[in-house]
RNA sequence: GCCCAGAUGGCGGAACUGGUAGACGCGCUAGCUUCAGGAGCUAGUGUCCGCAAGGAUGUGGGGGUUCGAAUCCCCCUCUGGGCACCA
């Protein structure tokens, strides 16, 4: 028999499919383990290395768990709505539905060649009515529980194309297509109230087995800050100006105030002589898109309104400015400026020559030292009336108390997190199931009328606010409540909505009476292991957490968090750089899969480096894994008569073994331990290395196998048996082929075959101990493990090289560490 | 600018809780072998000196703690990733 990996894979993929080896019946959730990879966006580029690196190793982990006896559910599907398909359609004229389905069909075939344990009977596609019907149900559920509302929000608007642009379609403030200046335009859009869950989203992070990095990103994104909202009054008009600050201790250092240009009070309080200037400034600021603002130099801009506000604490009159460095969307949209102790205020004050007052004395500095830059740390309060001399930390509390007591404001918690804007002025998405009735207002489409189908014959080229608005047939409908003529909402949902609940759908992929069966879902979820790229660290993962909580509160789910344990795969680079079309360094997996097969390709990806760090691709490295597989195949083929199906230990007793047999047995069980530990932790690279070591020992042992005794042959067979099982998650096709070669008739994955190591055999029996003089190694000797410290010391002292180095020196100290070293400190 | 992670042979990378640096693989060198072929086997391979024994040196750079540092502390350089005026 000649080794042909590609043929082996074809054979086993066919067998597995015919026998339903990986079929899962979700009604039985005993020992359940839900292992999920982030589903795939079906782009025209198909499967790239990053996908393989996500799916291959995760499947290895899933197989490992299956071999340990878990009922593993590992589904796959398509995140099929989205902008790229729509853009391609605009360019090529091919309908997004057709291009998407075509891509899905190709990708499915490519995915099958990975040979993962996907149970294809649970495949989902977010762009088909059978799925998006329930995305719409989700919208309505949020709507009915008060978690969806309409509000104004700006969009990027291209006045020439007369269309809404995504951030990525705006390049340096200009429209990607026609290069005209993009402006902001306010539209009424739908939001989900994720901010209501800010606290829980923040607190529950502590309980999750997620990378710390990711949790930190979510914490920063939520951006909780504790402070005080303080009421300032406008001098003369008496208008109230609320500001939020985390530093009430700096109140005596306030020298001016700033309102965001969008703040409604700006117009009202501006004095006549400043009207023109302010009006112009607001207009300019309005022209700027968010992207525009980002690409601007950091030079601060702003204009005075002519109005003055009164500091409630010291009754000082301070000028009120408007400047775009203050954001309307955060806090109250207004700030009290403390240039002495805030970097941005400092910069602004310098630019416009506003007074800078030092009110927090930096430890070690003098009260009259000039401030070179804003001092944002803690210190002693100065120039602060009755608070002078108070420690700033204490001052925060005392001033907050005074503000609350005198009714000047109250303590408040602020979040950076904003509500989730889910409206998209796009065609290729799930329509928002709302009807706007002239009499009843906004009316949700009743559940029994779902799905609101996305019409196929729509002109989706740019022009106009939403493509669906151009379909009279779609727009015009009757009000579900009163029956009079009404209009459908013409926006579609953000695709993050589709992916915020798909993990709930998988176990119920084809259920047509509900989005999911409550009982099954509450048994199979949460997802036990979720694996995907860290680019989703915030948005997708935060939205999914929010949706889970919202559905829990609506009475559908009995758990709090969707993903108990999360792993991010690293990035595979090529020549040190991220693979990208523009760099021309993209490695196409297909050619490698075709010549080496899936097992070898995925094993090489795992061997390249730590999974969570990724690695640099090299064409030549894969031959090492190819050789490894070949050597395995030949070894088993030539020695299969010695295979002994000894489940665990069988008749072999470690303590009765000697010499090579004893060593091989020990190595076998050390490898079982290492591969079990490492695979469980996604440390695939070291697990594969351990398998290679074991194979090296096995090959050496096999060289004179014929001359060996029966028990020695049995140890070989025992080790070969375990080797095949340990190999199985890494090279499933090859392992099943070897398994069959050794006389097995059922797939290796049909039973819980994973071994438990023999704990009596894993400890090293001989260790190398080093002898050092002043920390430098001067001798080494191999001794039985556990040799006493005195014996080690004696041994070291009698070593010639050690004697030589001790020679005329004075022994000061001897440090002996059992099984490790002897170190003589001499002088 | 801020935050996070990292830097180990020619290359990818190992290294427990501070205790033999370089496992495993690629590449390279030599030998053997086969019906040259993307083959197989054996041995060697951090660098420098040496026939060898052995010695010196070595984990981005500089300092420190320690009997002993890739690992801990301080400073610096570089690389990758994330966030963008959050009051």
């Amino acid at each position: 028999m000649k080794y042909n990996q590609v043929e082996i894979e074809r054979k086993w993929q066919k067998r597995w499919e015919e026998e339903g080896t990986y079929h899962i019946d979700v009604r039985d959730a005993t020992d359940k383990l839900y292992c999920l990879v982030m589903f795939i966006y079906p782009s025209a580029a198909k499967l790239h290395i990053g996908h393989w690196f996500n799916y291959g190793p995760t499947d290895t982990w899933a197989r490992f768990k299956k071999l340990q006896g878990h009922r593993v559910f590992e589904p796959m599907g398509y995140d099929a709505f989205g902008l790229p398909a729509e853009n391609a359609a605009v360019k090529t004229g091919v309908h997004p539905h057709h291009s998407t389905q075509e891509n899905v069909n190709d990708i499915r075939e490519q995915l099958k060649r990975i040979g993962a344990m996907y149970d294809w009977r649970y495949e989902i596609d977010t762009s088909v009515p059978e799925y998006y019907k329930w995305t719409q149900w989700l919208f309505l559920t949020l709507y009915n529980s008060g978690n969806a509302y309409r509000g104004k929000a700006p969009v990027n608007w291209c006045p020439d194309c007369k269309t809404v642009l995504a951030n990525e379609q705006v390049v340096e403030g200009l429209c990607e297509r026609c290069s005209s200046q993009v402006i902001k335009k306010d539209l009424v859009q739908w939001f989900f109230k994720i901010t209501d869950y800010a606290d829980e989203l923040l607190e529950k992070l502590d309980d999750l087995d997620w990378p710390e990095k990711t949790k930190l990103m979510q914490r920063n994104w939520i951006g909780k800050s504790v402070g005080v909202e303080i009421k300032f009054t406008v001098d003369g008009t008496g208008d109230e100006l609320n500001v939020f600050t985390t530093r009430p201790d700096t109140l005596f250092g306030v020298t001016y105030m700033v309102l965001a240009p969008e703040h409604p009070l700006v117009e009202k309080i501006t004095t006549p002589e400043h009207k023109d200037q302010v009006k112009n400034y607001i207009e300019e600021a309005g022209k700027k898109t968010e992207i525009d603002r980002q690409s601007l130099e950091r030079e601060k801009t702003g204009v005075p309104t002519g109005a003055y506000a009164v500091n409630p604490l010291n009754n000082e009159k301070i000028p009120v400015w408007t400047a775009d460095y203050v954001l309307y969307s955060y806090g109250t949209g207004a700030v009290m400026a403390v240039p002495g102790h805030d970097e941005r205020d400092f910069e602004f004050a310098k630019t416009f020559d506003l007074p800078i007052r030092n009110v927090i004395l930096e430890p070690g500095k003098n009260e009259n030292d000039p401030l070179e830059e804003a001092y944002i740390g803690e210190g002693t309060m100065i120039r602060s009336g009755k608070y002078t001399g108070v420690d700033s930390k204490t001052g925060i509390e005392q001033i907050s108390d005074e503000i609350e007591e005198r009714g000047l404001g109250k303590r408040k918690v602020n979040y950076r997190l904003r509500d989730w804007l889910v409206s998209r002025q796009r065609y290729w998405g799930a329509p928002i199931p709302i009807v706007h009735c002239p009499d009843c207002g906004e009316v949700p489409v009743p559940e029994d009328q779902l799905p609101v189908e996305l019409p196929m014959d729509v002109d989706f080229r740019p022009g106009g606010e939403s493509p669906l608005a151009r379909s009279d047939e779609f727009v015009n409908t009757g009000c579900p409540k009163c029956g009079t003529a009404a209009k459908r909402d013409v926006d579609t949902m953000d695709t993050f909505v589709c992916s915020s609940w798909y993990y709930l759908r998988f176990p119920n992929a084809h259920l047509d009476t509900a989005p999911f069966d409550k009982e099954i879902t509450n048994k199979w979820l949460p997802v036990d292991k979720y694996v995907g790229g860290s680019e989703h660290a915030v948005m997708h993962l935060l939205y999914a957490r929010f949706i889970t909580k919202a559905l829990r509160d609506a009475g559908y789910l009995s758990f709090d968090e969707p993903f108990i344990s999360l792993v991010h795969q690293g990035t595979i680079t090529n020549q040190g750089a991220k693979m990208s079309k523009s760099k021309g360094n993209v490695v196409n997996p297909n050619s490698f899969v075709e010549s080496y097969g899936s097992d070898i390709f995925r094993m090489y990806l795992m061997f390249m480096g730590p999974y969570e760090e990724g690695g640099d691709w090299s064409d030549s490295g894969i031959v090492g894994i190819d050789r490894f597989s070949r050597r395995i195949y030949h070894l088993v083929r030539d020695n299969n008569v010695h295979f002994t199906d000894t489940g665990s230990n069988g008749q072999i007793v470690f303590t009765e073994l000697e010499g090579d047999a004893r060593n091989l047995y020990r190595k076998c069980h050390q490898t079982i331990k290492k591969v079990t530990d490492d695979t469980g932790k996604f440390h695939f690279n070291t697990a594969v290395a351990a398998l290679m070591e074991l194979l090296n020992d096995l090959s050496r042992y096999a060289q004179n196998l014929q001359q060996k005794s029966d028990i020695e042959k049995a140890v070989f067979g025992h080790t070969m048996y375990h080797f095949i099982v340990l190999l199985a998650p890494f090279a499933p096709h090859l392992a099943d082929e070897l398994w069959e070669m050794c006389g097995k008739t059922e797939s290796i994955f049909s039973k819980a075959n994973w071994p438990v190591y023999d704990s009596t055999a894993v400890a090293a029996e001989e260790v190398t101990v080093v002898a050092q003089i002043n920390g430098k190694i001067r001798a080494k000797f191999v001794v039985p493990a556990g040799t006493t410290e005195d014996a080690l010391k004696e041994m070291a002292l009698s070593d010639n090289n050690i004697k030589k180095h001790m020679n005329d020196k004075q022994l000061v100290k001897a440090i002996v560490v059992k099984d490790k070293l002897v170190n003589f400190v001499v002088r």
Side-chain angles (χ1 to χ4, degrees):
Chain A
M1 273 178 293
K2 249 178 108 181
Y3 173 60
N4 184 332
Q5 180 65 27
V6 174
E7 238 169 61
I8 290 172
E9 291 183 5
R10 216 169 285 143
K11 168 181 163 184
W12 285 98
Q13 285 176 15
K14 193 164 158 244
R15 279 258 306 258
W16 292 336
E17 194 166 342
E18 283 167 2
E19 293 172 8
T21 312
Y22 309 123
H23 281 183
I24 283 288
D25 183 347
V26 291
R27 284 169 301 186
D28 186 351
T30 326
D31 291 322
K32 75 95 179 176
L33 192 145
Y34 188 173
C35 175
L36 185 66
V37 289
M38 292 181 182
F39 63 169
I40 187 167
Y41 178 77
S43 79
K46 315 286 155 68
L47 284 202
H48 55 68
I49 295 231
H51 292 123
W52 268 87
F53 194 51
N54 188 185
Y55 308 152
T58 303
D59 179 61
T60 289
W61 186 85
R63 285 178 185 272
F64 160 66
K65 287 293 173 188
K66 180 164 170 67
L67 284 166
Q68 281 192 324
H70 292 278
R71 187 178 297 271
V72 176
F73 181 51
E74 194 189 14
M76 180 48 88
Y78 313 94
D79 188 13
F81 271 138
L83 197 52
E86 189 165 335
N87 285 342
V90 170
K91 234 180 241 168
T92 63
V94 180
H95 195 281
H97 172 72
H98 296 304
S99 61
T100 299
Q101 288 314 310
E102 206 169 287
N103 291 342
V104 162
N105 289 334
D106 290 348
I107 286 169
R108 184 186 296 113
E109 289 317 303
Q110 289 188 335
L111 285 167
K112 285 189 173 172
R113 294 196 52 187
I114 295 177
M117 297 199 296
Y118 304 133
D119 187 341
W120 291 100
R121 301 175 308 168
Y122 295 86
E123 186 190 74
I124 59 178
D125 176 339
T126 59
S127 71
V128 298
E130 292 75 33
Y131 183 90
Y132 71 70
K133 169 178 179 174
W134 303 112
T135 305
Q136 292 171 339
W137 171 89
L138 174 69
F139 181 98
L140 294 175
T141 304
L142 265 80
Y143 180 85
N144 292 329
S145 57
N147 279 303
Y149 67 94
R150 289 218 296 171
K152 267 194 181 174
V155 294
N156 300 313
W157 178 258
C158 173
D160 274 13
C161 303
K162 294 195 173 24
T163 194
V164 176
L165 300 175
N167 281 344
E168 63 173 26
Q169 293 176 302
V170 182
V171 182
E172 287 176 22
L174 307 177
C175 170
E176 157 190 81
R177 288 203 192 89
C178 69
S179 294
S180 45
Q181 168 83 52
V182 174
I183 60 167
K184 265 191 281 179
K185 184 173 172 177
D186 269 339
L187 292 181
V188 176
Q189 311 190 66
W190 287 97
F191 291 87
F192 285 165
K193 265 194 197 161
I194 191 171
T195 52
D196 272 7
Y197 287 86
D199 255 323
E200 194 193 340
L201 288 167
L202 185 65
E203 272 158 29
K204 287 269 165 57
L205 278 173
D206 296 339
D207 309 334
L208 296 177
D209 173 29
W210 284 21
E212 278 308 317
K213 200 180 76 180
T214 306
K215 292 202 218 177
L216 185 69
M217 280 164 78
Q218 292 217 346
R219 284 190 192 107
N220 292 341
W221 189 267
I222 294 166
K224 180 175 180 169
S225 51
V226 179
V228 195
E229 199 170 291
I230 305 170
K231 222 182 292 170
F232 281 63
T233 34
V234 177
D235 190 42
T237 71
D239 285 306
E240 271 182 16
L241 262 179
N242 287 317
V243 299
F244 173 75
T245 180
T246 55
R247 293 295 300 272
D249 55 321
T250 63
L251 254 168
F252 288 86
V254 177
T255 54
Y256 63 100
M257 284 187 80
V258 185
L259 304 187
E262 298 90 345
H263 198 291
L265 270 182
V266 172
E267 250 188 286
K268 187 164 180 231
I269 64 171
T270 300
T271 56
E273 58 271 32
H274 287 93
K275 277 252 157 31
D276 288 349
Q277 206 189 354
V278 167
K279 207 178 150 213
N280 284 342
Y281 186 77
I282 295 174
E283 227 166 74
E284 283 305 307
K287 262 189 208 162
K288 289 176 193 165
T289 63
E290 273 184 36
I291 299 291
D292 214 2
R293 272 196 193 180
Q294 283 172 20
S295 65
L296 274 179
E297 294 296 330
R298 285 299 178 76
E299 212 166 285
K300 295 267 181 288
T301 61
V303 291
T305 62
Y308 285 79
V310 179
N311 184 332
L313 220 58
N314 59 7
N315 293 321
E316 197 177 339
K317 268 174 42 172
I318 47 172
V320 181
W321 287 57
T322 180
D324 64 7
Y325 83 92
V326 172
L327 306 178
Y328 187 55
S329 54
Y330 182 77
T332 62
V335 301
M336 55 176 227
V338 187
H341 308 286
D342 181 284
E343 288 168 48
R344 293 148 304 174
D345 297 342
F346 185 85
E347 215 184 298
F348 190 84
K350 280 274 178 196
T351 309
F352 294 102
D353 213 16
L354 291 156
I356 298 170
R357 196 177 298 160
N358 187 359
V359 295
I360 306 290
L361 187 61
E362 184 176 353
K365 291 258 168 125
N366 198 296
E367 186 163 334
N368 293 316
D369 289 349
L371 278 171
E372 300 295 333
E373 54 181 9
Y375 173 66
I376 56 173
E378 296 169 5
T380 308
M381 296 172 66
I382 52 176
R383 302 192 180 91
S384 300
K386 64 177 173 188
Y387 295 100
T388 299
V390 175
D391 169 69
S392 62
K393 226 173 158 182
T394 316
I396 289 178
E397 295 314 316
Q398 291 183 354
I399 293 186
S400 300
D401 287 343
E402 180 179 340
I403 285 168
E404 290 192 326
E405 279 158 21
R406 292 176 50 196
L408 303 173
K410 54 186 186 303
R411 283 183 167 86
K412 215 189 152 184
V413 177
N414 232 314
Y415 299 92
R416 198 194 89 107
L417 182 71
R418 302 180 203 168
D419 274 339
W420 176 12
L421 189 146
V422 297
S423 300
R424 292 293 179 271
Q425 295 72 38
R426 296 287 162 188
Y427 168 68
W428 193 232
I432 290 174
I434 293 283
V435 169
H436 300 282
C437 169
D439 297 332
C440 316
E442 60 190 39
V443 181
V445 175
E447 194 184 319
D448 59 15
Q449 288 173 32
L450 295 183
V452 175
E453 279 210 49
L454 184 67
M456 289 292 284
D457 54 342
V458 170
D459 179 7
F460 44 74
R461 287 170 305 174
E465 283 174 5
S466 287
L468 287 179
R470 277 175 288 194
S471 170
D472 290 340
E473 211 179 314
F474 176 82
V475 173
N476 295 315
T477 185
C479 170
K481 231 188 227 167
C482 69
T484 54
K487 292 194 183 304
R488 288 192 190 281
D489 201 293
V490 291
D491 285 352
T492 52
M493 278 183 260
D494 179 8
T495 50
F496 277 124
V497 180
C498 310
S499 58
S500 66
W501 75 281
Y502 78 110
Y503 48 90
L504 302 173
R505 180 66 177 169
F506 267 128
N508 314 275
H510 302 298
L511 185 67
D512 56 8
T513 52
F516 48 83
D517 181 294
K518 249 167 107 169
E519 203 189 317
I520 286 175
T521 300
N522 284 321
K523 272 198 295 199
W524 276 89
L525 277 105
V527 170
D528 296 279
K529 187 67 84 174
Y530 194 34
V531 187
S534 57
E535 66 271 23
H536 294 112
V538 179
M539 310 253 260
H540 163 62
L541 287 166
L542 197 64
Y543 294 152
R545 294 181 61 218
F546 157 65
I547 291 296
T548 295
K549 293 174 195 305
L551 286 177
R552 173 201 62 196
D553 292 343
Y556 293 96
L557 302 175
S558 58
F559 51 93
D560 300 322
E561 288 285 340
F563 315 121
I564 296 295
S565 177
L566 173 74
V567 175
H568 294 308
Q569 79 271 23
T571 315
I572 303 292
T573 54
N574 192 12
Q575 282 132 23
K578 229 179 185 173
M579 290 187 201
S580 73
K581 271 189 199 160
S582 56
K583 286 199 195 93
N585 64 345
V586 176
V587 176
N588 181 353
N590 295 345
S591 57
F592 290 95
V593 177
E594 270 157 33
S595 44
Y596 293 103
S598 152
D599 283 353
I600 289 168
F601 186 65
R602 77 147 88 170
M603 226 189 316
Y604 178 57
L605 287 173
M606 286 187 270
F607 184 60
M608 267 179 14
Y611 185 66
E612 277 153 288
E613 284 165 40
D616 199 53
W617 174 262
S618 127
D619 283 0
S620 52
I622 195 170
V623 304
I625 301 291
D626 188 41
R627 273 177 213 156
F628 175 55
S629 308
R630 205 176 292 278
R631 289 176 58 212
I632 295 168
Y633 184 87
H634 292 151
L635 182 90
V636 176
R637 180 194 61 191
D638 299 342
N639 298 287
N640 60 348
V641 292
H642 299 293
F643 180 89
T644 36
D645 184 354
T646 52
S648 61
N649 289 345
Q651 71 279 42
I652 300 166
V653 179
F654 175 63
T655 48
E656 292 168 5
L657 298 175
E658 292 173 341
D660 284 354
R662 190 179 176 93
N663 289 334
L664 184 67
Y665 183 88
R666 187 189 320 108
K667 184 73 176 178
C668 174
H669 286 270
Q670 285 172 337
T671 307
I672 293 171
K673 182 174 192 303
K674 179 147 183 70
V675 173
T676 305
D677 291 349
D678 288 356
T679 308
K681 289 187 286 191
F682 277 69
H683 293 181
F684 305 115
N685 55 334
T686 47
V688 173
L691 287 172
M692 286 174 169
E693 283 189 47
L694 183 58
L695 179 71
N696 290 344
D697 282 9
L698 262 174
S699 306
R700 211 168 299 128
Y701 194 92
Q703 275 169 10
N704 54 354
L705 196 57
Q706 293 315 315
Q707 288 97 297
K708 290 191 191 293
S709 69
D710 283 353
I711 189 72
E712 285 169 334
K713 283 176 183 162
V715 169
F716 176 84
H718 170 90
T719 306
M720 187 166 75
Y721 166 92
H722 285 107
F723 181 85
I724 296 172
V725 180
L726 296 183
L727 176 74
F730 298 87
H733 308 86
L734 177 58
D736 243 342
E737 181 70 13
L738 302 173
W739 200 240
E740 188 183 58
M741 230 179 237
C742 292
K744 295 286 192 175
T745 51
E746 276 190 325
S747 166
I748 196 167
F749 298 102
S750 61
K751 277 202 201 84
N753 280 312
W754 196 262
V756 175
Y757 66 88
D758 179 350
S759 57
T760 62
V762 291
E765 294 180 277
E766 280 186 334
V767 290
T768 306
V769 169
V770 296
Q772 302 175 322
I773 305 279
N774 288 345
K776 284 201 196 303
I777 294 165
R778 298 302 175 187
K780 295 183 183 185
F781 20 78
V782 176
V783 299
T787 303
T788 64
E789 294 175 9
D790 284 348
L792 289 176
K793 197 170 156 186
E794 283 309 307
M795 219 176 294
L797 281 171
S798 58
D799 182 88
N800 282 335
N801 205 34
I802 290 286
K803 279 186 195 158
K804 203 175 93 191
H805 282 275
M806 299 258 273
N807 206 1
D808 47 347
K809 305 234 172 60
Q810 183 79 36
L811 179 63
V812 180
K813 197 174 170 188
I815 289 140
V816 186
V817 181
K818 218 186 221 178
D819 294 344
K820 296 273 178 185
L821 56 74
V822 182
N823 186 15
F824 296 116
V825 184
V826 301
R827 208 178 280 141

